[in-house]
């Protein structure tokens, strides 16, 4: 029996034949596994990060130190997901996928240390969902709309599609 016969058929969300290492703006969304609320809470439409949420933000801000050809733009750490815009300023060897993988590895490792040393909420098997969402930002108008979406995301938490666990 082949491995492909026993694994679920996964369809990639990536744009086929697109070079994700080329310069450009990328809107990314990463969700915690099972959309567990591990990074903080929303109160009165305000984002209140816990130590784990601050840690996620810290590693996002470290990305340009690891990858010299990127800039970190707008971002928001929500209770169970993370939105950001990264700007690849010059063609590079690393793809958006490589960048996301490194980010997930670093945040997962530090989260595990936080569980052991600081009593952070445990997670089941993996911190992040296997995949992530991406949108290639193609023009300034699109960038401005997405940046506003990120900025105002905590205000819309009650209607957020990632806010499935709470009753509304």
């Amino acid at each position: 029996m082949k491995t492909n016969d026993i694994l679920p058929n996964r369809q990639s969300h990536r744009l086929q034949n697109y070079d994700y290492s080329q310069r450009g703006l990328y809107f990314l969304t990463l969700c915690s596994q099972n959309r567990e609320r591990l990074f903080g809470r929303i109160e009165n439409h305000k984002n209140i990060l816990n130590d784990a949420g601050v840690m996620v933000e810290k590693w996002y801000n470290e990305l340009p130190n690891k990858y010299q050809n990127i800039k970190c733009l707008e971002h928001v750490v929500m209770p169970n997901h993370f939105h950001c815009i990264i700007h690849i300023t010059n063609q590079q060897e690393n793809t958006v996928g490589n960048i996301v993988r490194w980010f997930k590895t670093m945040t997962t490792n530090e989260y595990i240390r936080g569980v052991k040393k600081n009593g952070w909420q445990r997670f089941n098997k993996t911190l992040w969902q296997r995949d992530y969402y991406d949108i290639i930002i193609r023009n300034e108008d699109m960038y401005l709309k997405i940046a506003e979406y990120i900025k105002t995301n905590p205000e819309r938490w009650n209607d957020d599609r990632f806010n499935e666990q709470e009753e509304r």
Side-chain angles (χ1 to χ4, degrees):
M1 179 178 274
K2 295 180 190 174
T3 304
N4 291 343
D5 294 338
I6 57 174
L7 292 176
N9 188 7
R10 288 187 64 225
Q11 296 207 346
S12 175
H13 298 283
R14 310 288 87 73
L15 188 61
Q16 284 190 343
N17 302 318
Y18 186 83
D19 180 0
Y20 280 88
S21 66
Q22 71 180 324
R23 62 187 307 235
L25 296 166
Y26 300 87
F27 171 43
L28 306 175
T29 300
L30 288 70
C31 295
S32 63
Q33 186 69 15
N34 300 320
R35 297 195 179 152
E36 291 282 331
R37 295 191 177 140
L38 302 173
F39 309 124
R41 65 188 188 284
I42 304 294
E43 282 185 14
N44 299 319
H45 306 289
K46 301 283 186 215
N47 201 6
I48 314 285
L49 296 181
N50 60 19
D51 290 342
V54 171
M55 175 274 299
V56 168
E57 199 167 58
K58 176 192 87 169
W59 282 109
Y60 178 65
N61 290 321
E62 280 295 314
L63 286 172
N65 295 325
K66 172 72 174 166
Y67 303 99
Q68 283 73 39
N69 291 336
I70 73 165
K71 290 183 180 177
C72 294
L73 302 178
E74 288 80 4
H75 69 279
V76 64
V77 180
M78 297 294 286
N80 62 3
H81 65 281
F82 174 65
H83 292 300
C84 66
I85 298 174
I86 62 169
H87 180 198
I88 297 179
T89 58
N90 292 309
Q91 183 81 25
Q92 58 178 17
E93 290 180 20
N94 292 293
T95 64
V96 170
N98 297 132
I99 295 165
V100 169
R101 242 181 323 281
W102 184 84
F103 175 81
K104 284 181 175 183
T105 298
M106 301 312 287
T107 53
T108 298
N109 289 341
E110 188 161 341
Y111 196 100
I112 291 168
R113 286 190 295 274
V115 169
K116 291 177 180 175
K117 293 180 180 178
N118 303 316
W120 293 2
Q121 181 180 334
R122 294 184 176 278
F123 60 88
N124 186 14
K125 297 182 183 174
T126 182
L127 180 62
W128 299 103
Q129 287 182 357
R130 184 175 176 181
D131 210 353
Y132 61 94
Y133 301 95
D134 72 83
I135 294 175
I136 301 159
I137 299 175
R138 302 202 182 260
N139 57 51
E140 185 177 359
D141 185 52
M142 189 176 185
Y143 168 77
L144 293 172
K145 286 178 182 172
I146 291 171
E148 182 67 14
Y149 174 83
I150 290 172
K151 179 181 163 190
T152 60
N153 202 230
E155 298 167 22
R156 295 185 318 281
W157 178 242
N158 289 339
D159 299 319
D160 195 306
R161 71 184 187 129
F162 297 115
N163 183 12
E164 296 177 340
Q165 292 180 339
E166 268 184 25
E167 291 187 20
R168 297 183 208 176

